[in-house]
Short mmCIF file of all heavy atoms in Angstrom, two decimals:
data_model
loop_
_atom_site.label_atom_id
_atom_site.label_comp_id
_atom_site.label_asym_id
_atom_site.label_seq_id
_atom_site.Cartn_x
_atom_site.Cartn_y
_atom_site.Cartn_z
N VAL A 229 -24.13 -2.38 -5.89
CA VAL A 229 -24.76 -1.81 -7.11
C VAL A 229 -25.39 -2.93 -7.91
O VAL A 229 -26.56 -2.80 -8.37
CB VAL A 229 -23.69 -1.06 -7.96
CG1 VAL A 229 -24.33 -0.55 -9.26
CG2 VAL A 229 -23.11 0.10 -7.17
N ILE A 230 -24.70 -4.06 -8.06
CA ILE A 230 -25.24 -5.18 -8.84
C ILE A 230 -26.55 -5.67 -8.22
O ILE A 230 -27.54 -5.93 -8.91
CB ILE A 230 -24.19 -6.31 -8.93
CG1 ILE A 230 -23.00 -5.86 -9.77
CG2 ILE A 230 -24.80 -7.59 -9.53
CD1 ILE A 230 -21.74 -6.71 -9.61
N GLU A 231 -26.59 -5.76 -6.90
CA GLU A 231 -27.78 -6.27 -6.21
C GLU A 231 -28.99 -5.33 -6.32
O GLU A 231 -30.11 -5.78 -6.28
CB GLU A 231 -27.49 -6.44 -4.70
CG GLU A 231 -26.85 -7.76 -4.36
CD GLU A 231 -26.37 -7.80 -2.93
OE1 GLU A 231 -26.94 -7.10 -2.07
OE2 GLU A 231 -25.39 -8.52 -2.69
N ASN A 232 -28.73 -4.02 -6.41
CA ASN A 232 -29.84 -3.06 -6.39
C ASN A 232 -30.21 -2.51 -7.75
O ASN A 232 -31.23 -1.82 -7.87
CB ASN A 232 -29.49 -1.90 -5.43
CG ASN A 232 -29.60 -2.36 -3.99
OD1 ASN A 232 -30.70 -2.47 -3.45
ND2 ASN A 232 -28.46 -2.70 -3.40
N ALA A 233 -29.39 -2.77 -8.76
CA ALA A 233 -29.60 -2.13 -10.06
C ALA A 233 -30.97 -2.47 -10.62
O ALA A 233 -31.78 -1.56 -10.91
CB ALA A 233 -28.50 -2.57 -11.02
N GLU A 234 -31.25 -3.77 -10.77
CA GLU A 234 -32.52 -4.12 -11.41
C GLU A 234 -33.71 -3.71 -10.57
O GLU A 234 -34.77 -3.36 -11.10
CB GLU A 234 -32.52 -5.61 -11.75
CG GLU A 234 -31.72 -5.86 -13.01
CD GLU A 234 -31.48 -7.33 -13.25
OE1 GLU A 234 -30.71 -7.92 -12.50
OE2 GLU A 234 -32.09 -7.87 -14.20
N ARG A 235 -33.54 -3.78 -9.23
CA ARG A 235 -34.65 -3.33 -8.34
C ARG A 235 -35.02 -1.90 -8.66
O ARG A 235 -36.21 -1.56 -8.77
CB ARG A 235 -34.19 -3.39 -6.89
CG ARG A 235 -34.46 -4.67 -6.16
CD ARG A 235 -33.82 -4.62 -4.78
NE ARG A 235 -34.62 -3.85 -3.81
CZ ARG A 235 -34.20 -3.54 -2.57
NH1 ARG A 235 -33.01 -3.93 -2.15
NH2 ARG A 235 -34.96 -2.89 -1.75
N ALA A 236 -34.02 -1.03 -8.77
CA ALA A 236 -34.33 0.39 -9.00
C ALA A 236 -34.83 0.64 -10.43
O ALA A 236 -35.70 1.47 -10.64
CB ALA A 236 -33.06 1.24 -8.75
N ILE A 237 -34.33 -0.14 -11.37
CA ILE A 237 -34.74 0.06 -12.77
C ILE A 237 -36.20 -0.38 -12.91
O ILE A 237 -37.03 0.28 -13.56
CB ILE A 237 -33.84 -0.75 -13.75
CG1 ILE A 237 -32.44 -0.12 -13.73
CG2 ILE A 237 -34.40 -0.73 -15.16
CD1 ILE A 237 -31.38 -1.00 -14.39
N GLU A 238 -36.55 -1.52 -12.30
CA GLU A 238 -37.92 -2.05 -12.44
C GLU A 238 -38.91 -1.33 -11.58
O GLU A 238 -40.09 -1.20 -11.92
CB GLU A 238 -37.95 -3.56 -12.13
CG GLU A 238 -37.15 -4.42 -13.11
CD GLU A 238 -37.39 -4.05 -14.59
OE1 GLU A 238 -38.51 -3.70 -14.95
OE2 GLU A 238 -36.41 -4.10 -15.37
N ASN A 239 -38.48 -0.85 -10.43
CA ASN A 239 -39.40 -0.14 -9.52
C ASN A 239 -38.73 1.17 -9.06
O ASN A 239 -38.10 1.23 -8.00
CB ASN A 239 -39.74 -1.02 -8.32
CG ASN A 239 -40.74 -0.33 -7.39
OD1 ASN A 239 -41.22 0.77 -7.71
ND2 ASN A 239 -41.02 -0.94 -6.28
N PRO A 240 -38.89 2.22 -9.86
CA PRO A 240 -38.17 3.47 -9.60
C PRO A 240 -38.48 4.08 -8.22
O PRO A 240 -37.71 4.90 -7.74
CB PRO A 240 -38.65 4.41 -10.70
CG PRO A 240 -39.27 3.53 -11.74
CD PRO A 240 -39.71 2.28 -11.06
N HIS A 241 -39.59 3.69 -7.61
CA HIS A 241 -39.95 4.24 -6.31
C HIS A 241 -39.51 3.34 -5.14
O HIS A 241 -39.97 3.53 -4.01
CB HIS A 241 -41.45 4.53 -6.24
CG HIS A 241 -41.87 5.68 -7.09
ND1 HIS A 241 -42.28 6.90 -6.58
CD2 HIS A 241 -41.88 5.84 -8.42
CE1 HIS A 241 -42.56 7.73 -7.58
NE2 HIS A 241 -42.31 7.11 -8.71
N ASP A 242 -38.68 2.37 -5.41
CA ASP A 242 -38.16 1.50 -4.35
C ASP A 242 -37.14 2.31 -3.55
O ASP A 242 -35.99 2.49 -3.98
CB ASP A 242 -37.52 0.25 -4.96
CG ASP A 242 -37.02 -0.73 -3.92
OD1 ASP A 242 -36.59 -0.31 -2.85
OD2 ASP A 242 -37.07 -1.94 -4.21
N TYR A 243 -37.57 2.80 -2.37
CA TYR A 243 -36.70 3.70 -1.62
C TYR A 243 -35.37 3.07 -1.30
O TYR A 243 -34.31 3.69 -1.45
CB TYR A 243 -37.40 4.12 -0.30
CG TYR A 243 -36.56 5.06 0.54
CD1 TYR A 243 -36.64 6.45 0.34
CD2 TYR A 243 -35.66 4.61 1.49
CE1 TYR A 243 -35.86 7.34 1.07
CE2 TYR A 243 -34.87 5.46 2.23
CZ TYR A 243 -34.98 6.83 2.01
OH TYR A 243 -34.19 7.70 2.73
N ASP A 244 -35.39 1.83 -0.84
CA ASP A 244 -34.13 1.21 -0.39
C ASP A 244 -33.16 0.95 -1.54
O ASP A 244 -31.94 1.13 -1.40
CB ASP A 244 -34.42 -0.06 0.41
CG ASP A 244 -35.14 0.28 1.70
OD1 ASP A 244 -34.69 1.18 2.41
OD2 ASP A 244 -36.21 -0.34 1.99
N ALA A 245 -33.71 0.54 -2.68
CA ALA A 245 -32.84 0.34 -3.84
C ALA A 245 -32.23 1.68 -4.27
O ALA A 245 -31.03 1.77 -4.53
CB ALA A 245 -33.65 -0.28 -4.98
N ARG A 246 -33.05 2.71 -4.32
CA ARG A 246 -32.56 4.03 -4.71
C ARG A 246 -31.53 4.53 -3.69
O ARG A 246 -30.53 5.13 -4.05
CB ARG A 246 -33.72 5.04 -4.80
CG ARG A 246 -34.64 4.82 -6.00
CD ARG A 246 -33.98 5.17 -7.32
NE ARG A 246 -34.95 5.38 -8.40
CZ ARG A 246 -34.62 5.62 -9.66
NH1 ARG A 246 -33.36 5.66 -10.03
NH2 ARG A 246 -35.54 5.82 -10.58
N ALA A 247 -31.80 4.30 -2.41
CA ALA A 247 -30.89 4.78 -1.36
C ALA A 247 -29.54 4.07 -1.45
O ALA A 247 -28.49 4.69 -1.35
CB ALA A 247 -31.50 4.54 0.02
N ASN A 248 -29.59 2.78 -1.69
CA ASN A 248 -28.34 2.02 -1.79
C ASN A 248 -27.52 2.46 -3.00
O ASN A 248 -26.28 2.60 -2.91
CB ASN A 248 -28.62 0.52 -1.82
CG ASN A 248 -28.77 -0.03 -0.43
OD1 ASN A 248 -27.83 -0.02 0.36
ND2 ASN A 248 -29.96 -0.48 -0.09
N LEU A 249 -28.20 2.72 -4.11
CA LEU A 249 -27.49 3.18 -5.31
C LEU A 249 -26.90 4.58 -5.08
O LEU A 249 -25.75 4.88 -5.46
CB LEU A 249 -28.40 3.22 -6.53
CG LEU A 249 -28.78 1.86 -7.14
CD1 LEU A 249 -29.65 2.10 -8.37
CD2 LEU A 249 -27.55 1.04 -7.53
N LEU A 250 -27.69 5.42 -4.44
CA LEU A 250 -27.26 6.80 -4.19
C LEU A 250 -26.00 6.83 -3.33
O LEU A 250 -25.03 7.52 -3.64
CB LEU A 250 -28.41 7.57 -3.51
CG LEU A 250 -28.35 9.08 -3.46
CD1 LEU A 250 -28.22 9.69 -4.84
CD2 LEU A 250 -29.59 9.63 -2.77
N PHE A 251 -26.02 6.05 -2.27
CA PHE A 251 -24.89 6.01 -1.37
C PHE A 251 -23.67 5.37 -2.04
O PHE A 251 -22.53 5.83 -1.92
CB PHE A 251 -25.27 5.26 -0.08
CG PHE A 251 -24.27 5.37 1.02
CD1 PHE A 251 -23.51 6.52 1.21
CD2 PHE A 251 -24.07 4.31 1.93
CE1 PHE A 251 -22.58 6.64 2.24
CE2 PHE A 251 -23.14 4.43 2.95
CZ PHE A 251 -22.39 5.58 3.10
N ALA A 252 -23.93 4.30 -2.81
CA ALA A 252 -22.84 3.64 -3.53
C ALA A 252 -22.17 4.60 -4.51
O ALA A 252 -20.94 4.65 -4.63
CB ALA A 252 -23.35 2.39 -4.26
N GLY A 253 -23.00 5.38 -5.21
CA GLY A 253 -22.45 6.33 -6.19
C GLY A 253 -21.56 7.37 -5.52
O GLY A 253 -20.51 7.74 -6.07
N THR A 254 -21.95 7.81 -4.35
CA THR A 254 -21.14 8.79 -3.63
C THR A 254 -19.85 8.16 -3.15
O THR A 254 -18.75 8.72 -3.33
CB THR A 254 -21.94 9.34 -2.42
OG1 THR A 254 -23.13 9.95 -2.90
CG2 THR A 254 -21.13 10.37 -1.65
N MET A 255 -19.95 6.98 -2.54
CA MET A 255 -18.76 6.34 -1.99
C MET A 255 -17.78 5.89 -3.09
O MET A 255 -16.59 5.77 -2.87
CB MET A 255 -19.15 5.13 -1.13
CG MET A 255 -19.88 5.50 0.14
SD MET A 255 -19.05 6.75 1.13
CE MET A 255 -17.59 5.87 1.67
N ALA A 256 -18.33 5.67 -4.30
CA ALA A 256 -17.48 5.23 -5.40
C ALA A 256 -16.50 6.29 -5.84
O ALA A 256 -15.45 5.97 -6.42
CB ALA A 256 -18.33 4.79 -6.59
N LEU A 257 -16.81 7.56 -5.60
CA LEU A 257 -15.90 8.60 -6.11
C LEU A 257 -15.79 9.79 -5.16
O LEU A 257 -15.89 10.95 -5.57
CB LEU A 257 -16.37 9.05 -7.51
CG LEU A 257 -15.30 9.80 -8.35
CD1 LEU A 257 -14.01 9.06 -8.42
CD2 LEU A 257 -15.83 10.10 -9.72
N ASN A 258 -15.57 9.50 -3.89
CA ASN A 258 -15.30 10.61 -2.95
C ASN A 258 -13.92 10.50 -2.33
O ASN A 258 -13.62 11.12 -1.32
CB ASN A 258 -16.37 10.68 -1.86
CG ASN A 258 -16.36 9.45 -0.96
OD1 ASN A 258 -15.57 8.54 -1.17
ND2 ASN A 258 -17.24 9.41 0.01
N GLY A 259 -13.06 9.70 -2.97
CA GLY A 259 -11.68 9.59 -2.51
C GLY A 259 -11.46 8.55 -1.46
O GLY A 259 -10.34 8.24 -1.07
N PHE A 260 -12.55 7.93 -0.96
CA PHE A 260 -12.44 6.97 0.13
C PHE A 260 -11.83 5.64 -0.35
O PHE A 260 -10.90 5.11 0.27
CB PHE A 260 -13.86 6.77 0.69
CG PHE A 260 -13.97 5.80 1.82
CD1 PHE A 260 -13.67 6.19 3.11
CD2 PHE A 260 -14.40 4.51 1.59
CE1 PHE A 260 -13.79 5.27 4.17
CE2 PHE A 260 -14.52 3.61 2.63
CZ PHE A 260 -14.22 4.00 3.92
N LEU A 261 -12.34 5.14 -1.45
CA LEU A 261 -11.92 3.80 -1.91
C LEU A 261 -10.43 3.71 -2.29
O LEU A 261 -9.79 2.69 -1.99
CB LEU A 261 -12.76 3.35 -3.13
CG LEU A 261 -14.26 3.20 -2.89
CD1 LEU A 261 -14.94 2.78 -4.19
CD2 LEU A 261 -14.56 2.19 -1.80
N PRO A 262 -9.87 4.73 -2.94
CA PRO A 262 -8.49 4.53 -3.45
C PRO A 262 -7.40 5.04 -2.52
O PRO A 262 -6.32 5.36 -3.00
CB PRO A 262 -8.52 5.35 -4.74
CG PRO A 262 -9.37 6.52 -4.39
CD PRO A 262 -10.42 6.01 -3.42
N MET A 263 -7.66 5.09 -1.23
CA MET A 263 -6.59 5.54 -0.30
C MET A 263 -5.37 4.62 -0.49
O MET A 263 -5.50 3.39 -0.35
CB MET A 263 -7.06 5.47 1.13
CG MET A 263 -8.01 6.58 1.51
SD MET A 263 -8.34 6.50 3.28
CE MET A 263 -10.11 6.36 3.27
#
Side-chain angles (χ1 to χ4, degrees):
V229 177
I230 293 164
E231 275 170 29
N232 286 282
E234 282 171 289
R235 268 174 79 188
I237 293 166
E238 295 315 324
N239 183 4
H241 289 250
D242 182 328
Y243 181 88
D244 294 312
R246 289 290 198 183
N248 276 295
L249 287 182
L250 195 56
F251 191 33
T254 301
M255 292 309 293
L257 197 51
N258 65 359
F260 179 82
L261 299 179
M263 284 187 237

